[in-house]
């Protein structure tokens, strides 16, 4: 009679899976971290509201976007499955919202802010154009220096064998959310609170399908439903943190407002062109991705022009 050998660790998936005990341990750790982050943010908001209402408003706008990302992970928790075509359409929708936000909520207000500071038409255009290129350049440098993994293209950046694939996904997600948080913060630091609220609302709308796509991508690399959803939720916390940072930097001087708005637009344009559109077209669903982009653009345009 053969004696069975040592049993392997239970895996979440048959091939390339993550040990179940490891994901549970990480999940509990993330839950504790999220609870601590919530308490920290609540205390931060109370202090900011007393010192600078604009920064406090930026924090709430960032939290709204983070909450939308968390909302998008719920279908994964409920074991819902979505086709690749639906995923690509949702990515296109997010790209359309971000593209309209760049135009109506960032670049145009940046031009107006530059003119309000006394710049002529040419000077304002050159200032905003330079800031757009600067924002894109910063994201390009981050993209080159930060090891991360695209949902479909695979590992990109310096080869770091010690980082697990799942954490490479998280880094990629953070790159997506960073310019969104900055854009929200810079907008709330400006004089038009309604336009800032429209921007935060639009970004939050596109964060719902983004959170879903993120969680589904993590499921594909072998994470459990709970772990995938919690990582998706955690990735959204980048937005309130950078919203506060953007509002604080611009709040130092009104002269920085057009630069901040335009730089945030440049960073978002980089993400749209370099990350989201290529991913949404890679599986041959260009028509659905493009339709989603146009719907997202129109929705954000209506929100911005109606609320702003």
């Amino acid at each position: 009679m053969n004696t069975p050998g040592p049993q392997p660790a239970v895996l979440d998936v048959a091939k390339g899976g993550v040990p179940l005990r490891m994901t549970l341990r990480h999940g509990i750790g993330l839950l504790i971290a999220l609870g601590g982050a919530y308490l920290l943010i609540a205390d931060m908001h109370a202090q900011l509201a007393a010192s600078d209402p604009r920064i406090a408003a930026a924090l709430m706008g960032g939290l709204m976007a983070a909450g939308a990302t968390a909302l998008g992970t719920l279908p994964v928790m409920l074991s819902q499955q979505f086709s690749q075509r639906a995923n690509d359409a949702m990515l296109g929708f997010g790209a359309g919202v971000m593209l309209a936000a760049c135009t109506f909520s960032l670049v145009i207000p940046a031009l107006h802010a530059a003119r309000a500071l006394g710049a002529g038409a040419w000077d304002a255009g050159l200032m905003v154009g330079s800031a757009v290129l600067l924002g894109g350049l910063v994201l390009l440098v981050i993209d080159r220096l930060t090891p991360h993994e695209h949902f479909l293209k695979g590992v990109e950046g310096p080869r770091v064998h010690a980082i697990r694939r799942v954490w490479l996904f998280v880094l990629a997600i953070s790159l997506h959310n960073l310019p969104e948080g900055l854009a929200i913060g810079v907008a709330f630091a400006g004089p038009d609170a309604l336009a800032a609220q429209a921007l935060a609302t639009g970004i939050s709308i596109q964060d719902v399908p983004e959170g879903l796509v993120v969680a589904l991508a993590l499921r594909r690399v072998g994470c459990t439903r709970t772990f995938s959803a919690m990582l998706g939720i955690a990735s959204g916390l980048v937005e309130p943190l950078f919203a506060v940072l953007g509002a604080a930097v611009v709040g130092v001087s009104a002269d920085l407002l057009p630069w901040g708005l335009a730089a945030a637009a440049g960073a978002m344009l980089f993400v749209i062109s370099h990350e989201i559109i290529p991913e949404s077209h890679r599986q041959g669903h260009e028509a659905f991705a493009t339709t989603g982009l146009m719907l997202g653009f129109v929705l954000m345009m209506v929100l911005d022009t109606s609320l702003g």
Side-chain angles (χ1 to χ4, degrees):
M1 181 175 180
N2 295 330
T3 303
Q7 297 297 314
V10 179
L11 297 181
D12 179 53
V13 292
K15 182 178 180 181
V18 180
L20 181 60
R21 288 192 296 271
M22 181 178 298
T23 59
L24 289 176
R25 186 166 62 249
H26 286 164
I28 293 173
L30 276 174
L31 183 62
I32 295 173
L34 287 173
Y38 173 80
L39 295 175
L40 178 62
I41 290 173
D43 180 66
M44 183 188 303
H45 179 264
Q47 296 181 19
L48 290 175
S51 60
D52 192 334
R54 294 178 302 173
I55 298 181
L59 176 61
M60 293 307 297
L63 286 174
M64 181 170 66
T69 302
L71 180 63
T73 66
L74 286 181
V76 173
M77 290 289 292
L78 300 175
S79 303
Q80 297 297 314
Q81 299 294 326
F82 294 86
S83 67
Q84 185 62 50
R85 185 172 62 186
N87 289 347
D88 292 341
M90 288 186 287
L91 282 174
F93 178 85
V97 170
M98 292 175 70
L99 188 59
C102 289
T103 304
F104 298 101
S105 299
L106 296 174
V107 172
I108 293 177
L111 290 169
H112 291 163
R115 295 297 297 272
L117 293 174
W122 278 96
D123 291 337
L126 290 173
M127 179 190 302
V128 171
S130 299
V132 168
L133 294 176
L134 179 62
L137 178 62
V138 170
L139 260 290
L140 176 62
V141 171
I142 293 175
D143 182 80
R144 289 289 182 267
L145 297 181
T146 305
H148 62 281
E149 184 169 350
H150 296 263
F151 296 145
L152 299 173
K153 287 194 294 185
V155 177
E156 186 174 278
R159 184 171 296 277
V160 182
H161 297 286
I163 301 179
R164 299 180 63 87
R165 291 187 68 204
V166 65
W167 300 115
L168 294 178
F169 275 111
V170 174
L171 286 172
I173 296 160
S174 298
L175 286 179
H176 290 187
N177 290 337
L178 186 152
E180 295 175 7
L182 286 175
I184 290 173
V186 172
F188 274 103
D192 194 339
L194 285 178
Q197 187 61 46
L199 173 64
T201 301
I203 289 177
S204 297
I205 290 173
Q206 73 93 20
D207 275 345
V208 174
E210 183 178 285
L212 174 60
V213 171
V214 165
L216 289 173
L218 290 170
R219 283 288 289 152
R220 291 193 195 104
V221 297
C223 297
T224 63
R225 290 195 302 272
T226 302
F227 190 63
S228 299
M230 294 185 70
L231 273 181
I233 294 170
S235 73
L237 294 178
V238 171
E239 296 189 62
L241 294 177
F242 278 89
V244 169
L245 176 63
V249 171
V250 174
V252 172
S253 172
D255 294 342
L256 295 175
L257 180 60
W259 287 92
L261 288 169
M268 291 180 70
L269 283 173
F270 178 88
V271 171
I272 293 168
S273 178
H274 188 69
E275 300 274 353
I276 300 179
I277 291 178
E279 297 289 356
S280 67
H281 285 215
R282 198 165 299 278
Q283 295 294 317
H285 303 131
E286 295 91 344
F288 291 91
T290 301
T291 301
L293 184 147
M294 296 182 70
L295 290 174
F297 184 93
V298 170
L299 176 61
M300 183 61 197
M301 180 193 67
V302 171
L303 283 174
D304 190 276
T305 55
S306 299
L307 298 179

